[in-house]
Amino acid sequence: MTADRPHGGRREEILRAALDMIAERGYRGTSLDAVAEAVGLTRQGVLHYFPGKQQLLAAILERTVEVGRGDLPPHRLQADVPGQLAAVVAHNRAHPAFAQAYSVLMAESATAGHPARDVFRQHYRQVLDEMTRGYTERWGERLPSGLTPHAAAVAVLALLDGMQQQWLLDRDRTGDPEIMRAVLTVLFGTESPDLQP
């Protein structure tokens, strides 16, 4: 059954099946046997591509972060920061399975002994540091709103995650990118003409 499939194609198929299951059932509710059945392999067939469930989890986390950042990662500033982050929100809405898997894993990682706990902790520290550094380079010790760069970075991350959680519960919402732009325009102010792209 697998002879005509390229290695990368089968690996991607396993990754996507596992991601969809985790989005619906969580990490602990997803088994290698269920993933194997979904893609028409045995458990050993899945283990050929991913030596264990934690290696599969690591690949999913890497992919969800990669997809979530899109082409406009929030910690690499563009001239129009509110517009940049509104585009990140719109991008995540276009990839709901990845957004849901990321949110489910992030929530689960707060529980004791979850294998993704350290990954999420390091991810958030890294993104927070990069955003803080970017805001400091752009605005100095205070943003136009009066917030420190660190406080603004914490607030922006909370807004991104909270808005995504709300949208996952109510997918009829369509105005989140515009709301993000409006709120962050208050936070960051408007850019001077020389910073426009």
Side-chain angles (χ1 to χ4, degrees):
M1 178 180 281
T2 63
D4 60 342
R5 290 179 183 269
H7 181 88
R10 181 56 103 175
R11 188 178 190 280
E12 285 298 311
E13 189 178 356
I14 294 166
L15 194 60
R16 185 56 195 241
L19 185 141
D20 288 343
M21 284 187 192
I22 285 173
E24 291 299 322
R25 309 174 188 177
Y27 175 74
R28 292 190 171 114
T30 298
S31 70
L32 289 178
D33 290 330
V35 172
E37 183 178 348
V39 296
L41 289 174
T42 63
R43 180 187 179 92
Q44 284 305 115
V46 171
L47 292 173
H48 171 74
Y49 296 94
F50 298 96
K53 190 176 175 184
Q54 289 198 15
Q55 287 80 6
L56 181 55
L57 173 65
I60 288 170
L61 286 170
E62 182 180 344
R63 182 61 55 82
T64 57
V65 168
E66 173 188 305
V67 170
R69 287 181 170 182
D71 297 324
L72 299 168
H75 55 284
R76 293 181 186 159
L77 294 187
Q78 296 185 350
D80 177 11
V81 177
Q84 178 183 6
L85 288 161
V88 169
V89 171
H91 174 83
N92 287 338
R93 300 299 182 268
H95 299 85
F98 289 95
Q100 183 165 330
Y102 180 87
S103 291
V104 167
L105 287 169
M106 180 183 65
E108 283 187 334
S109 72
T111 61
H114 195 281
R117 187 177 186 122
D118 287 340
V119 174
F120 272 101
R121 183 179 299 170
Q122 286 304 114
H123 168 67
Y124 274 100
R125 285 177 178 170
Q126 178 185 348
V127 173
L128 185 62
D129 287 348
E130 291 173 348
M131 290 173 74
T132 301
R133 187 164 50 252
Y135 297 164
T136 302
E137 289 171 359
R138 173 72 60 86
W139 288 287
E141 294 305 309
R142 295 282 171 180
L143 275 67
S145 61
L147 288 178
T148 65
H150 176 75
V154 170
V156 168
L157 283 175
L159 183 58
L160 284 167
D161 286 338
M163 188 174 276
Q164 181 159 288
Q165 285 290 101
Q166 291 175 33
W167 174 75
L168 287 168
L169 293 170
D170 180 9
R171 301 202 187 181
D172 292 333
R173 290 169 43 152
T174 59
D176 285 352
E178 292 77 18
I179 292 170
M180 177 66 77
R181 179 190 286 276
V183 171
L184 294 186
T185 297
V186 173
L187 179 65
F188 294 113
T190 56
E191 299 292 354
S192 59
D194 61 317
L195 286 175
Q196 295 299 326

PDB file of all heavy atoms in Angstrom, residues 140-165:
ATOM      1  N   GLY A 140      11.720  52.635  21.952  1.00  0.00           N
ATOM      2  CA  GLY A 140      12.460  52.976  23.161  1.00  0.00           C
ATOM      3  C   GLY A 140      11.812  52.386  24.397  1.00  0.00           C
ATOM      4  O   GLY A 140      11.183  51.322  24.333  1.00  0.00           O
ATOM      5  N   GLU A 141      11.912  53.068  25.513  1.00  0.00           N
ATOM      6  CA  GLU A 141      11.445  52.523  26.790  1.00  0.00           C
ATOM      7  C   GLU A 141       9.933  52.612  26.978  1.00  0.00           C
ATOM      8  O   GLU A 141       9.380  51.957  27.859  1.00  0.00           O
ATOM      9  CB  GLU A 141      12.147  53.233  27.955  1.00  0.00           C
ATOM     10  CG  GLU A 141      13.643  52.969  28.007  1.00  0.00           C
ATOM     11  CD  GLU A 141      13.973  51.473  28.031  1.00  0.00           C
ATOM     12  OE1 GLU A 141      13.397  50.752  28.873  1.00  0.00           O
ATOM     13  OE2 GLU A 141      14.791  51.023  27.203  1.00  0.00           O
ATOM     14  N   ARG A 142       9.258  53.434  26.162  1.00  0.00           N
ATOM     15  CA  ARG A 142       7.797  53.578  26.279  1.00  0.00           C
ATOM     16  C   ARG A 142       7.164  53.628  24.900  1.00  0.00           C
ATOM     17  O   ARG A 142       7.651  54.320  24.013  1.00  0.00           O
ATOM     18  CB  ARG A 142       7.419  54.854  27.039  1.00  0.00           C
ATOM     19  CG  ARG A 142       7.849  54.869  28.492  1.00  0.00           C
ATOM     20  CD  ARG A 142       6.933  54.039  29.359  1.00  0.00           C
ATOM     21  NE  ARG A 142       7.472  53.883  30.712  1.00  0.00           N
ATOM     22  CZ  ARG A 142       6.880  53.210  31.678  1.00  0.00           C
ATOM     23  NH1 ARG A 142       5.718  52.624  31.447  1.00  0.00           N
ATOM     24  NH2 ARG A 142       7.439  53.109  32.861  1.00  0.00           N
ATOM     25  N   LEU A 143       6.056  52.894  24.742  1.00  0.00           N
ATOM     26  CA  LEU A 143       5.281  52.963  23.509  1.00  0.00           C
ATOM     27  C   LEU A 143       4.429  54.219  23.512  1.00  0.00           C
ATOM     28  O   LEU A 143       4.290  54.870  24.556  1.00  0.00           O
ATOM     29  CB  LEU A 143       4.395  51.723  23.400  1.00  0.00           C
ATOM     30  CG  LEU A 143       5.033  50.476  22.784  1.00  0.00           C
ATOM     31  CD1 LEU A 143       6.116  49.915  23.670  1.00  0.00           C
ATOM     32  CD2 LEU A 143       3.980  49.415  22.505  1.00  0.00           C
ATOM     33  N   PRO A 144       3.831  54.601  22.374  1.00  0.00           N
ATOM     34  CA  PRO A 144       2.951  55.774  22.345  1.00  0.00           C
ATOM     35  C   PRO A 144       1.841  55.721  23.395  1.00  0.00           C
ATOM     36  O   PRO A 144       1.385  56.749  23.882  1.00  0.00           O
ATOM     37  CB  PRO A 144       2.377  55.748  20.923  1.00  0.00           C
ATOM     38  CG  PRO A 144       3.441  55.070  20.123  1.00  0.00           C
ATOM     39  CD  PRO A 144       4.026  54.028  21.036  1.00  0.00           C
ATOM     40  N   SER A 145       1.398  54.510  23.764  1.00  0.00           N
ATOM     41  CA  SER A 145       0.343  54.352  24.774  1.00  0.00           C
ATOM     42  C   SER A 145       0.857  54.571  26.189  1.00  0.00           C
ATOM     43  O   SER A 145       0.067  54.675  27.129  1.00  0.00           O
ATOM     44  CB  SER A 145      -0.243  52.949  24.685  1.00  0.00           C
ATOM     45  OG  SER A 145       0.779  51.981  24.943  1.00  0.00           O
ATOM     46  N   GLY A 146       2.191  54.594  26.368  1.00  0.00           N
ATOM     47  CA  GLY A 146       2.775  54.723  27.694  1.00  0.00           C
ATOM     48  C   GLY A 146       3.219  53.404  28.293  1.00  0.00           C
ATOM     49  O   GLY A 146       3.909  53.373  29.316  1.00  0.00           O
ATOM     50  N   LEU A 147       2.819  52.285  27.687  1.00  0.00           N
ATOM     51  CA  LEU A 147       3.240  50.977  28.188  1.00  0.00           C
ATOM     52  C   LEU A 147       4.725  50.747  27.921  1.00  0.00           C
ATOM     53  O   LEU A 147       5.280  51.262  26.953  1.00  0.00           O
ATOM     54  CB  LEU A 147       2.443  49.855  27.513  1.00  0.00           C
ATOM     55  CG  LEU A 147       0.982  49.688  27.899  1.00  0.00           C
ATOM     56  CD1 LEU A 147       0.367  48.570  27.076  1.00  0.00           C
ATOM     57  CD2 LEU A 147       0.834  49.398  29.382  1.00  0.00           C
ATOM     58  N   THR A 148       5.342  49.906  28.759  1.00  0.00           N
ATOM     59  CA  THR A 148       6.699  49.476  28.466  1.00  0.00           C
ATOM     60  C   THR A 148       6.646  48.450  27.341  1.00  0.00           C
ATOM     61  O   THR A 148       5.603  47.805  27.128  1.00  0.00           O
ATOM     62  CB  THR A 148       7.359  48.827  29.698  1.00  0.00           C
ATOM     63  OG1 THR A 148       6.645  47.608  30.017  1.00  0.00           O
ATOM     64  CG2 THR A 148       7.383  49.778  30.889  1.00  0.00           C
ATOM     65  N   PRO A 149       7.732  48.246  26.607  1.00  0.00           N
ATOM     66  CA  PRO A 149       7.737  47.226  25.557  1.00  0.00           C
ATOM     67  C   PRO A 149       7.390  45.829  26.085  1.00  0.00           C
ATOM     68  O   PRO A 149       6.666  45.079  25.420  1.00  0.00           O
ATOM     69  CB  PRO A 149       9.172  47.283  25.015  1.00  0.00           C
ATOM     70  CG  PRO A 149       9.575  48.701  25.245  1.00  0.00           C
ATOM     71  CD  PRO A 149       8.954  49.077  26.569  1.00  0.00           C
ATOM     72  N   HIS A 150       7.868  45.499  27.282  1.00  0.00           N
ATOM     73  CA  HIS A 150       7.562  44.175  27.849  1.00  0.00           C
ATOM     74  C   HIS A 150       6.074  44.035  28.135  1.00  0.00           C
ATOM     75  O   HIS A 150       5.455  43.018  27.792  1.00  0.00           O
ATOM     76  CB  HIS A 150       8.365  43.945  29.131  1.00  0.00           C
ATOM     77  CG  HIS A 150       8.039  42.653  29.807  1.00  0.00           C
ATOM     78  ND1 HIS A 150       8.484  41.431  29.336  1.00  0.00           N
ATOM     79  CD2 HIS A 150       7.288  42.381  30.910  1.00  0.00           C
ATOM     80  CE1 HIS A 150       8.038  40.465  30.120  1.00  0.00           C
ATOM     81  NE2 HIS A 150       7.308  41.018  31.084  1.00  0.00           N
ATOM     82  N   ALA A 151       5.472  45.045  28.757  1.00  0.00           N
ATOM     83  CA  ALA A 151       4.038  44.983  29.052  1.00  0.00           C
ATOM     84  C   ALA A 151       3.223  44.884  27.764  1.00  0.00           C
ATOM     85  O   ALA A 151       2.238  44.133  27.695  1.00  0.00           O
ATOM     86  CB  ALA A 151       3.617  46.205  29.863  1.00  0.00           C
ATOM     87  N   ALA A 152       3.621  45.604  26.737  1.00  0.00           N
ATOM     88  CA  ALA A 152       2.914  45.546  25.462  1.00  0.00           C
ATOM     89  C   ALA A 152       3.021  44.166  24.838  1.00  0.00           C
ATOM     90  O   ALA A 152       2.037  43.635  24.312  1.00  0.00           O
ATOM     91  CB  ALA A 152       3.469  46.594  24.506  1.00  0.00           C
ATOM     92  N   ALA A 153       4.199  43.557  24.908  1.00  0.00           N
ATOM     93  CA  ALA A 153       4.387  42.217  24.338  1.00  0.00           C
ATOM     94  C   ALA A 153       3.515  41.195  25.054  1.00  0.00           C
ATOM     95  O   ALA A 153       2.880  40.341  24.419  1.00  0.00           O
ATOM     96  CB  ALA A 153       5.859  41.816  24.415  1.00  0.00           C
ATOM     97  N   VAL A 154       3.465  41.268  26.395  1.00  0.00           N
ATOM     98  CA  VAL A 154       2.612  40.355  27.167  1.00  0.00           C
ATOM     99  C   VAL A 154       1.151  40.550  26.762  1.00  0.00           C
ATOM    100  O   VAL A 154       0.416  39.579  26.544  1.00  0.00           O
ATOM    101  CB  VAL A 154       2.792  40.591  28.680  1.00  0.00           C
ATOM    102  CG1 VAL A 154       1.734  39.818  29.480  1.00  0.00           C
ATOM    103  CG2 VAL A 154       4.192  40.161  29.123  1.00  0.00           C
ATOM    104  N   ALA A 155       0.718  41.798  26.636  1.00  0.00           N
ATOM    105  CA  ALA A 155      -0.671  42.092  26.284  1.00  0.00           C
ATOM    106  C   ALA A 155      -1.014  41.599  24.877  1.00  0.00           C
ATOM    107  O   ALA A 155      -2.091  41.042  24.648  1.00  0.00           O
ATOM    108  CB  ALA A 155      -0.928  43.592  26.400  1.00  0.00           C
ATOM    109  N   VAL A 156      -0.094  41.795  23.932  1.00  0.00           N
ATOM    110  CA  VAL A 156      -0.355  41.369  22.556  1.00  0.00           C
ATOM    111  C   VAL A 156      -0.468  39.847  22.472  1.00  0.00           C
ATOM    112  O   VAL A 156      -1.377  39.316  21.815  1.00  0.00           O
ATOM    113  CB  VAL A 156       0.744  41.891  21.605  1.00  0.00           C
ATOM    114  CG1 VAL A 156       0.647  41.213  20.242  1.00  0.00           C
ATOM    115  CG2 VAL A 156       0.628  43.403  21.443  1.00  0.00           C
ATOM    116  N   LEU A 157       0.424  39.126  23.140  1.00  0.00           N
ATOM    117  CA  LEU A 157       0.339  37.670  23.129  1.00  0.00           C
ATOM    118  C   LEU A 157      -0.959  37.184  23.756  1.00  0.00           C
ATOM    119  O   LEU A 157      -1.600  36.255  23.256  1.00  0.00           O
ATOM    120  CB  LEU A 157       1.537  37.058  23.860  1.00  0.00           C
ATOM    121  CG  LEU A 157       2.847  37.041  23.092  1.00  0.00           C
ATOM    122  CD1 LEU A 157       3.975  36.511  23.974  1.00  0.00           C
ATOM    123  CD2 LEU A 157       2.735  36.191  21.832  1.00  0.00           C
ATOM    124  N   ALA A 158      -1.357  37.806  24.862  1.00  0.00           N
ATOM    125  CA  ALA A 158      -2.612  37.427  25.516  1.00  0.00           C
ATOM    126  C   ALA A 158      -3.803  37.706  24.593  1.00  0.00           C
ATOM    127  O   ALA A 158      -4.739  36.899  24.511  1.00  0.00           O
ATOM    128  CB  ALA A 158      -2.765  38.185  26.831  1.00  0.00           C
ATOM    129  N   LEU A 159      -3.761  38.838  23.899  1.00  0.00           N
ATOM    130  CA  LEU A 159      -4.839  39.180  22.974  1.00  0.00           C
ATOM    131  C   LEU A 159      -4.912  38.186  21.814  1.00  0.00           C
ATOM    132  O   LEU A 159      -5.999  37.727  21.451  1.00  0.00           O
ATOM    133  CB  LEU A 159      -4.625  40.606  22.452  1.00  0.00           C
ATOM    134  CG  LEU A 159      -5.700  41.177  21.529  1.00  0.00           C
ATOM    135  CD1 LEU A 159      -7.063  41.190  22.203  1.00  0.00           C
ATOM    136  CD2 LEU A 159      -5.313  42.594  21.096  1.00  0.00           C
ATOM    137  N   LEU A 160      -3.767  37.833  21.254  1.00  0.00           N
ATOM    138  CA  LEU A 160      -3.748  36.868  20.149  1.00  0.00           C
ATOM    139  C   LEU A 160      -4.310  35.519  20.589  1.00  0.00           C
ATOM    140  O   LEU A 160      -5.167  34.938  19.911  1.00  0.00           O
ATOM    141  CB  LEU A 160      -2.315  36.685  19.634  1.00  0.00           C
ATOM    142  CG  LEU A 160      -1.746  37.803  18.767  1.00  0.00           C
ATOM    143  CD1 LEU A 160      -0.238  37.641  18.611  1.00  0.00           C
ATOM    144  CD2 LEU A 160      -2.419  37.818  17.400  1.00  0.00           C
ATOM    145  N   ASP A 161      -3.844  35.014  21.729  1.00  0.00           N
ATOM    146  CA  ASP A 161      -4.297  33.696  22.192  1.00  0.00           C
ATOM    147  C   ASP A 161      -5.754  33.727  22.624  1.00  0.00           C
ATOM    148  O   ASP A 161      -6.531  32.814  22.303  1.00  0.00           O
ATOM    149  CB  ASP A 161      -3.421  33.208  23.345  1.00  0.00           C
ATOM    150  CG  ASP A 161      -2.042  32.762  22.884  1.00  0.00           C
ATOM    151  OD1 ASP A 161      -1.888  32.435  21.688  1.00  0.00           O
ATOM    152  OD2 ASP A 161      -1.121  32.727  23.715  1.00  0.00           O
ATOM    153  N   GLY A 162      -6.145  34.776  23.345  1.00  0.00           N
ATOM    154  CA  GLY A 162      -7.528  34.863  23.806  1.00  0.00           C
ATOM    155  C   GLY A 162      -8.511  35.006  22.660  1.00  0.00           C
ATOM    156  O   GLY A 162      -9.570  34.367  22.644  1.00  0.00           O
ATOM    157  N   MET A 163      -8.164  35.818  21.688  1.00  0.00           N
ATOM    158  CA  MET A 163      -9.039  36.000  20.532  1.00  0.00           C
ATOM    159  C   MET A 163      -9.173  34.686  19.754  1.00  0.00           C
ATOM    160  O   MET A 163     -10.262  34.347  19.271  1.00  0.00           O
ATOM    161  CB  MET A 163      -8.483  37.106  19.635  1.00  0.00           C
ATOM    162  CG  MET A 163      -9.394  37.511  18.505  1.00  0.00           C
ATOM    163  SD  MET A 163      -8.762  38.947  17.597  1.00  0.00           S
ATOM    164  CE  MET A 163      -9.368  40.272  18.638  1.00  0.00           C
ATOM    165  N   GLN A 164      -8.073  33.945  19.650  1.00  0.00           N
ATOM    166  CA  GLN A 164      -8.137  32.667  18.945  1.00  0.00           C
ATOM    167  C   GLN A 164      -9.020  31.675  19.681  1.00  0.00           C
ATOM    168  O   GLN A 164      -9.820  30.963  19.058  1.00  0.00           O
ATOM    169  CB  GLN A 164      -6.727  32.081  18.766  1.00  0.00           C
ATOM    170  CG  GLN A 164      -6.726  30.760  18.026  1.00  0.00           C
ATOM    171  CD  GLN A 164      -5.385  30.449  17.425  1.00  0.00           C
ATOM    172  OE1 GLN A 164      -4.978  31.061  16.452  1.00  0.00           O
ATOM    173  NE2 GLN A 164      -4.671  29.505  18.017  1.00  0.00           N
ATOM    174  N   GLN A 165      -8.916  31.614  21.011  1.00  0.00           N
ATOM    175  CA  GLN A 165      -9.757  30.707  21.787  1.00  0.00           C
ATOM    176  C   GLN A 165     -11.233  31.049  21.594  1.00  0.00           C
ATOM    177  O   GLN A 165     -12.062  30.160  21.418  1.00  0.00           O
ATOM    178  CB  GLN A 165      -9.406  30.800  23.276  1.00  0.00           C
ATOM    179  CG  GLN A 165      -8.108  30.120  23.650  1.00  0.00           C
ATOM    180  CD  GLN A 165      -8.206  28.611  23.552  1.00  0.00           C
ATOM    181  OE1 GLN A 165      -7.744  28.006  22.594  1.00  0.00           O
ATOM    182  NE2 GLN A 165      -8.806  27.999  24.531  1.00  0.00           N
TER     183      GLN A 165
END
